[in-house]
Amino acid sequence: MHHKGADDGVHSPLGPGDSNVPGYAESHEDDPLILQDPTTAEKRLLRKLDRRILPITCLLYLFAYLDRSNLGNARLQGLPEDVLGGDPSGVLFDWLVAAFYITCMSSLTPCSIFSKYYNPRIWLACSAILWGICSTSMATASGFGHLLVARLGLGVFEAAFAPSIILYFSFYYTKAEYGIRIASWFGFAAVAGAFGGLLAYGIQNIKISIPSWRLLFLVEGVPSVLLGVLCLFILPGRPESTSFLTHAERNLAIERMNRGTSGDVGAVVNRSHVIAAFWDWRVYAAGITNFGLNCALGSLSAFLPTIIETLGHSPASSQLLTIPPYAVACLVLISSSYASDRIQSRGFIIVSGCSMGGIGYMILLGASHEHVHVRYLATFCIAAGTYTSLGLMMAWFAHNLGSETKRATGIPLFGTIGQAGSILGSHLYPLTDGPAYSRGFGVSGALMFLAALSALTLSISYRMENARRNAAYGEPDRDAPVDTSELADKAPGFRYLP
């Protein structure tokens, strides 16, 4: 059964960049796409979409990630001493880190499903504006309570953003294009890690009349608000309703949207697919992988500067030395995602990434503090393995859940399980455990290996199910439309990306 939004669910609320009626009347005489061969027309459309969608969504995620992870840098700039009474045990800081994930966890799935009733351009813009306000307000904090409320709000509004972006990309990109685009977008989390360290280093060395950490929150929070406003005028809405595309381009975009699956038309939520996502064991297996990865990521983003400081570097140098691991992680993510698009397989690459991160944590656990270079090398393994695996997980399930509604439910559902790992990760490195942090390294490493095992199980199950369907129904054309409106990924013609 389908539940539709306003105006019988045919289209979303509209504004700049969207037509008033899907397929509205217009002149097509000057439409350049009509006169081109299909391959040229598709390449032209893809370039047009990339130019409009990728820059602003990547910048949005850059600042989203800066806003959620800048506490780690602020900690080294005197935030605990100024507003947390020194926080000698590190417990108050841990709760500030965890507060973001608590509201993010509880908001991910409802926000993602609810976003289906709205124009994605407006939804994403409002999310960015609101989380930017929360982040900027932290610069005025006078105590733990103010910081806690801002972090809780930040979790809600960033939860409205990330799953909706993954769903939004599936409106315009095919499964053969999806991995590299998700990697380009998610890679800005790694860029944020590098840029955040550089920015924090620069701010820490500026002579100003306010504490460095207050300026850090201002510099990283205000751009999110400005980018949110810009989104209202730049991002296209759904393919069937946006005036950013010509008539021929809209038809081609809709045809691409239905390759190997089928898309919805307008603000439609299929309630049976919401339920199916909650009953799908693979969503929970993905949640196990995501749990281990997010534990590592939560640890990395909040505590990497502190971990590097245990190698014997000053706080300022520690900020600077966070840049190379993130830069390498970004390169590995992009190259791995490009390869996974070419070979149309993601599972085994994810297994390799998880294993690499687990090995990195084992090195930190086992290597003595005298082996500074070996321990620093381990942070490269952790960053590269974690970011690569997380980026590919999102691209993997963006296709494998079959329908828009199941994607809108399943992706944030396994993301919610993953965020529990982030909460765990934020509690694994109290100052009282330093400088060894044996518990944190041991738990994070073990969970990375568990994530690898879960991803391996998923990949094998997808291959076996594809083989079963091929034997029963024959091999379908990989780009032919598949009616997933009733059965989602269980449709006989649907094939999983292993």
Side-chain angles (χ1 to χ4, degrees):
M1 179 172 59
H2 296 267
H3 181 75
K4 299 186 177 182
D7 300 323
D8 199 32
V10 176
H11 60 280
S12 304
L14 302 167
D18 297 280
S19 62
N20 290 324
V21 180
Y24 68 102
E26 61 179 30
S27 172
H28 314 316
E29 293 178 358
D30 298 325
D31 192 335
L33 215 63
I34 295 175
L35 304 176
Q36 296 173 354
D37 67 88
T39 301
T40 303
E42 188 160 357
K43 288 181 179 178
R44 180 188 177 101
L45 173 62
L46 192 58
R47 287 195 298 270
K48 182 175 181 177
L49 292 171
D50 283 344
R51 286 194 299 266
R52 181 59 69 97
I53 293 173
L54 288 181
I56 191 164
T57 54
C58 289
L59 283 174
L60 277 171
Y61 198 58
L62 168 68
F63 284 99
Y65 201 81
L66 284 174
D67 290 338
R68 78 167 66 172
S69 62
N70 52 18
L71 273 181
N73 293 318
R75 185 185 206 180
L76 296 179
Q77 293 178 343
L79 181 146
E81 290 74 18
D82 289 347
V83 294
L84 299 180
D87 191 25
S89 67
V91 172
L92 292 180
F93 180 82
D94 285 355
W95 277 111
L96 288 178
V97 174
F100 169 88
Y101 297 107
I102 291 170
T103 50
C104 190
M105 279 178 62
S106 59
S107 304
L108 274 171
T109 302
C111 281
S112 182
I113 297 172
F114 197 56
S115 73
K116 285 271 290 158
Y117 291 116
Y118 290 87
N119 186 314
R121 174 179 51 78
I122 295 174
W123 180 271
L124 294 170
C126 290
S127 300
I129 292 169
L130 290 169
W131 93 58
I133 291 172
C134 289
S135 180
T136 304
S137 72
M138 293 172 66
T140 66
S142 58
F144 174 75
H146 187 157
L147 288 171
L148 182 65
V149 171
R151 290 286 294 180
L152 290 170
L154 190 68
V156 172
F157 299 122
E158 287 206 20
F161 172 71
S164 301
I165 279 282
I166 299 170
L167 183 64
Y168 178 69
F169 275 26
S170 72
F171 297 161
Y172 287 105
Y173 297 112
T174 69
K175 62 182 179 181
E177 302 158 352
Y178 205 80
I180 189 65
R181 268 105 188 147
I182 284 289
S184 300
W185 170 74
F186 184 69
F188 270 73
V191 173
F195 180 67
L198 183 62
L199 188 62
Y201 178 79
I203 289 174
Q204 193 160 331
N205 287 279
I206 295 176
K207 302 298 182 182
I208 50 176
S209 58
I210 64 172
S212 298
W213 62 267
R214 294 189 187 275
L215 181 60
L216 181 69
F217 287 137
L218 282 173
V219 170
E220 295 183 356
V222 171
S224 297
V225 178
L226 300 178
L227 285 169
V229 173
L230 196 59
C231 264
L232 291 170
F233 302 94
I234 288 184
L235 277 186
R238 290 185 61 91
E240 67 272 10
S241 63
T242 180
S243 62
F244 168 65
L245 302 178
T246 66
H247 180 77
E249 287 171 337
R250 277 199 302 277
N251 288 339
L252 178 55
I254 292 169
E255 183 271 322
R256 285 162 45 84
M257 186 183 182
N258 287 280
R259 289 181 186 172
T261 182
S262 57
D264 293 337
V265 178
V268 178
V269 170
N270 187 322
R271 291 178 180 176
S272 66
H273 290 187
V274 173
I275 296 169
F278 277 94
W279 282 101
D280 191 339
W281 71 269
R282 290 188 176 96
V283 171
Y284 298 98
I288 293 173
T289 300
N290 230 32
F291 183 91
L293 290 169
N294 274 278
C295 179
L297 185 64
S299 303
L300 197 68
S301 62
F303 299 101
L304 182 59
T306 304
I307 291 171
I308 292 178
E309 193 176 359
T310 67
L311 305 183
H313 300 285
S314 67
S317 297
S318 297
Q319 303 278 20
L320 205 56
L321 286 171
T322 62
I323 297 173
Y326 284 118
V328 170
C330 190
L331 292 175
V332 174
L333 169 61
I334 295 294
S335 58
S336 298
S337 299
Y338 176 78
S340 77
D341 275 350
R342 293 294 299 268
I343 65 176
Q344 285 294 279
S345 178
R346 310 203 196 280
F348 290 158
I349 300 178
I350 294 172
V351 172
S352 300
C354 293
S355 301
M356 181 191 302
I359 290 170
Y361 275 115
M362 292 301 101
I363 292 174
L364 286 177
L365 183 64
S368 66
H369 288 279
E370 288 76 26
H371 298 95
V372 175
H373 298 294
V374 174
R375 290 169 63 82
Y376 187 48
L377 176 64
T379 66
F380 284 79
C381 296
I382 296 167
T386 302
Y387 279 100
T388 296
S389 300
L390 274 171
L392 285 174
M393 279 294 294
M394 289 185 281
W396 203 15
F397 271 76
H399 171 75
N400 282 356
L401 290 170
S403 71
E404 277 187 33
T405 299
K406 195 170 181 183
R407 284 196 292 270
T409 308
I411 290 174
L413 182 56
F414 78 68
T416 299
I417 299 170
Q419 294 298 351
S422 299
I423 295 176
L424 174 62
S426 69
H427 283 81
L428 288 177
Y429 297 89
L431 293 177
T432 52
D433 282 4
Y437 295 110
S438 299
R439 179 180 60 171
F441 297 150
V443 172
S444 296
L447 287 174
M448 286 293 278
F449 289 121
L450 177 62
L453 179 61
S454 180
L456 180 62
T457 302
L458 276 170
S459 184
I460 292 172
S461 79
Y462 284 140
R463 294 173 190 275
M464 292 176 64
E465 180 60 21
N466 283 347
R468 187 193 69 79
R469 292 184 190 179
N470 286 342
Y473 307 108
E475 289 195 38
D477 179 351
R478 58 189 287 176
D479 289 332
V482 177
D483 183 5
T484 58
S485 60
E486 295 299 325
L487 299 176
D489 57 308
K490 307 302 182 185
F494 185 85
R495 297 295 181 272
Y496 296 105
L497 200 64

